[in-house]
């Protein structure tokens, strides 16, 4: 062991991340936004006419950006930023006519060496891909998901339902917002995936799983997922983040 060896603690894992957003093949504006930090990842899908959705999703991510990634307070820190973003979007929407009624989805992850903390509202999604299996970590706040929960629609029927874009909750909409929060373990080889409904509506769960299985490079996997969504529809903006837990360097 050389005495010059850097004192920096050896980390067993690190995160290799790729992110991409695409306007899709039909729309002219992109109301999706994403945020990528060392340990913080988020996607937001804005809604509201005349660019209001872009304002809402950007405001959500701007509010989220300074959150502390401290292990002990990650979930509470995220929840606090979600509440703050909810308040800011509502106030901007009330103050400016052209922004009235705007809102956004927001799905965020803080990851450390052992755990991922997910906080969520709306119908964007977080997944963990492990050992060939894609597991959805969030539940869509949507009318069709409510009907899936009641056993009245299958997930595949929900994906193709004409009312699939009706949300039951969104950031900036309504007086009180309720958020989902989940903490899960992560390990070497896991892939965390965040996406907006422009991916999950057009590309089935099995297809997403198969692309993640086939393409180990996160950048190439992002590209392939977005390409697939555009091939089969592209009737929406598409945003994907792939964050791989890989071997750390000493
Ligand atoms: Mn969308």
């Amino acid at each position: 062991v050389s005495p010059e060896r850097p004192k920096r603690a050896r980390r067993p894992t690190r995160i290799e991340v790729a992110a991409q957003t695409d306007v899709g093949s039909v729309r002219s504006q992109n109301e999706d936004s994403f945020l990528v930090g060392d340990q913080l990842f988020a996607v937001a899908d804005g809604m509201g006419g005349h660019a209001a959705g872009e304002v809402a999703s950007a405001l959500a991510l701007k509010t989220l950006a300074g959150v502390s990634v401290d292990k002990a307070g990650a979930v509470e820190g995220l929840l606090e930023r979600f509440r703050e973003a909810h308040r800011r979007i509502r106030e901007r929407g009330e103050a400016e006519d052209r922004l009235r009624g705007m809102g956004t989805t927001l799905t965020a992850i803080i990851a450390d060496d052992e755990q991922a903390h997910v906080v969520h509202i709306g119908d964007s999604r977080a997944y963990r891909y492990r050992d060939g299996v894609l597991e959805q970590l969030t539940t869509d706040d949507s009318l069709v998901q409510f009907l899936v929960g009641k056993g009245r629609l299958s997930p595949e029927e929900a994906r193709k339902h004409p009312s699939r874009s009706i949300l039951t909750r969104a950031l900036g909409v309504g007086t009180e917002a309720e958020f989902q929060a989940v903490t899960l373990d992560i390990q070497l080889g896991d892939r965390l995936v965040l996406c907006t409904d422009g991916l999950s509506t057009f590309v089935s769960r099995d297809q997403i799983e198969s692309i993640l299985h086939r393409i180990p490079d996160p950048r190439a996997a992002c590209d392939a997922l977005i390409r697939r969504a555009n091939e089969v529809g592209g009737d929406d903006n598409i945003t994907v983040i792939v964050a791989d837990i890989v071997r750390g360097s000493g």
Side-chain angles (χ1 to χ4, degrees):
V1 176
S2 149
E4 282 78 41
R5 178 179 277 263
K7 291 245 169 21
R8 195 155 50 90
R10 186 185 173 82
R11 297 176 78 89
T13 59
R14 63 186 172 84
I15 300 171
E16 195 175 318
V17 62
Q20 202 182 322
T21 189
D22 190 275
V23 70
S25 43
V26 174
R27 297 192 182 187
S28 60
Q29 283 179 319
N30 193 343
E31 300 192 318
D32 287 0
S33 301
F34 68 83
L35 176 69
V36 169
D38 288 342
Q39 292 177 260
L40 171 67
F41 315 104
V43 296
D45 178 350
M47 62 203 75
H50 301 287
E54 278 176 75
V55 175
S57 64
L59 190 50
L61 292 179
K62 194 177 152 202
T63 307
L64 188 66
V67 69
S68 161
V69 294
D70 178 32
K71 207 170 183 162
V75 169
E76 197 39 57
L78 284 171
L79 286 170
E80 191 191 302
R81 295 295 170 134
F82 270 61
R83 287 190 285 264
E84 176 65 18
H86 177 67
R87 195 159 44 233
R88 284 191 193 179
I89 293 165
R90 243 189 55 203
E91 285 170 7
R92 272 294 293 278
E94 284 164 4
E96 284 181 59
D97 266 347
R98 68 177 187 101
L99 302 179
R100 193 163 302 280
M102 71 174 175
T104 186
T105 72
L106 183 59
T107 303
I109 293 184
I110 289 176
D112 57 46
D113 288 340
E114 295 161 332
Q115 290 183 313
H117 310 279
V118 185
V119 176
H120 162 83
I121 184 168
D123 69 348
S124 299
R125 290 183 178 179
Y127 299 93
R128 179 181 62 187
Y129 173 83
R130 173 181 287 179
D131 297 334
V133 179
L134 188 70
E135 181 192 354
Q136 192 177 329
L137 306 174
T138 50
T139 302
D140 295 348
D141 291 316
S142 65
L143 177 63
V144 290
Q145 178 56 43
F146 173 79
L147 295 172
V148 169
K150 295 275 180 205
R152 292 176 43 197
L153 286 179
S154 73
E156 274 306 289
E157 286 167 337
R159 199 163 68 82
K160 293 173 175 152
H161 199 280
S163 300
R164 64 185 178 241
S165 58
I166 297 175
L167 298 188
T168 50
R169 289 189 187 117
L171 205 64
V173 178
T175 37
E176 290 294 318
E178 264 183 72
F179 310 114
Q180 296 168 34
V182 58
T183 291
L184 62 144
D185 80 285
I186 48 173
Q187 63 190 36
L188 188 65
D190 286 353
R191 317 187 86 170
L192 297 168
V193 179
L194 291 175
C195 69
T196 56
D197 68 330
L199 180 74
S200 52
T201 294
F202 296 104
V203 185
S204 72
R205 188 206 155 278
D206 290 0
Q207 287 173 321
I208 296 172
E209 191 178 76
S210 138
I211 288 169
L212 291 169
H213 178 73
R214 255 193 357 256
I215 306 179
D217 177 69
R219 163 64 49 202
C222 265
D223 287 349
L225 288 165
I226 285 180
R227 201 178 322 120
R228 184 70 192 134
N230 273 320
E231 278 165 9
V232 294
D235 191 15
D236 195 1
N237 310 135
I238 311 147
T239 302
V240 182
I241 298 177
V242 176
D244 289 352
I245 317 303
V246 299
R247 202 171 294 285
S249 48

